[in-house]
Amino acid sequence: MSRSYWTVGMLLAAAASAVLACALLLWQPMGAQPKFAGILFGIALGLALAALLRRFMPDGCDAAPAKLRKRYTREVMLAMAGYMVLLVASSLLLKRVDEPLLRALVALLPVPPVVLMLRAMVRYIRDVDELQQRIELEAVSFATGFVSLVYLTGGFLQVAKVIDIPAGAAMIWVFPLVCLAYGLAKAVVVRRYN
């Protein structure tokens, strides 16, 4: 496994540990809101899953030039850091804001970093060679199809009153699930081409 893969994996694991420690510290002694602690636990879980995916990704998973990989990693990590900060800030500010337009703006604070992450992904896919584009697009196609199927299945179960999941909670998890499914799909697709 290359050094850059190991380093990024270690950074992700360290970030997951730090966020988990913050969640635990805020949750029990300070009696933080369960929603806020849940957000931090979700972020920690996402970072831990990203670290695991990075750790178990095949060596030849990315044939892009090192400079391109570094740019992509830097852009995605900055966007994710911004997302985490703005998600926490948004959750805290929503408790203090009553005016509907201002609540909408505060609620949407985490969206721009996600747009930046999507931009980084598109730039990366556009700039790699044809084989890597094929790997990326197959992984993205599988991920979006899989999560769409899961979401549709959940919708049918919700309509049938078999499950009862708040719509907001379900919507917030669509993009993270696509990212997780993409990582898993990419690991499988790469093995086909190696």
Side-chain angles (χ1 to χ4, degrees):
M1 182 168 292
S2 73
R3 183 183 167 132
S4 68
Y5 266 68
W6 179 252
T7 304
V8 172
M10 292 301 292
L11 286 173
L12 288 168
S17 299
V19 172
L20 181 60
C22 288
L24 290 172
L25 287 173
L26 291 174
W27 183 44
Q28 287 295 346
M30 296 185 175
Q33 293 284 336
K35 181 180 178 182
F36 181 65
I39 288 170
L40 289 177
F41 283 121
I43 290 170
L45 177 64
L47 288 167
L49 287 172
L52 281 173
L53 281 173
R54 191 68 170 200
R55 169 70 178 95
F56 293 109
M57 202 63 77
D59 280 340
C61 192
D62 197 343
K67 185 177 178 181
L68 181 59
R69 285 195 314 265
K70 282 183 181 181
R71 182 191 76 189
Y72 173 72
T73 301
R74 182 182 61 250
E75 289 176 356
V76 168
M77 295 300 252
L78 287 173
M80 287 302 291
Y83 173 78
M84 289 186 291
V85 168
L86 290 174
L87 182 64
V88 170
S90 173
S91 297
L92 294 174
L93 287 172
L94 281 173
K95 295 174 190 169
R96 294 175 170 79
V97 176
D98 292 326
E99 201 270 316
L101 180 59
L102 192 54
R103 283 187 68 76
L105 291 174
V106 169
L108 295 175
L109 279 176
V111 173
V114 173
V115 171
L116 291 175
M117 186 168 31
L118 289 171
R119 177 181 175 264
M121 290 175 176
V122 169
R123 286 181 67 200
Y124 173 79
I125 292 171
R126 183 192 63 215
D127 294 343
V128 294
D129 66 20
E130 290 82 10
L131 177 60
Q132 191 67 38
Q133 283 179 347
R134 184 176 179 135
I135 290 169
E136 299 295 336
L137 293 176
E138 281 185 33
V140 167
S141 297
F142 174 80
T144 53
F146 175 75
V147 172
S148 297
L149 180 63
V150 168
Y151 203 80
L152 180 68
T153 302
F156 286 136
L157 293 173
Q158 185 97 0
V159 168
K161 298 189 186 325
V162 174
I163 61 173
D164 187 23
I165 298 172
M171 286 186 220
I172 284 174
W173 281 100
V174 171
F175 185 69
L177 288 174
V178 169
C179 291
L180 175 63
Y182 160 74
L184 294 171
K186 185 174 176 180
V188 171
V189 170
V190 164
R191 291 182 197 286
R192 281 199 355 225
Y193 288 101
N194 282 342

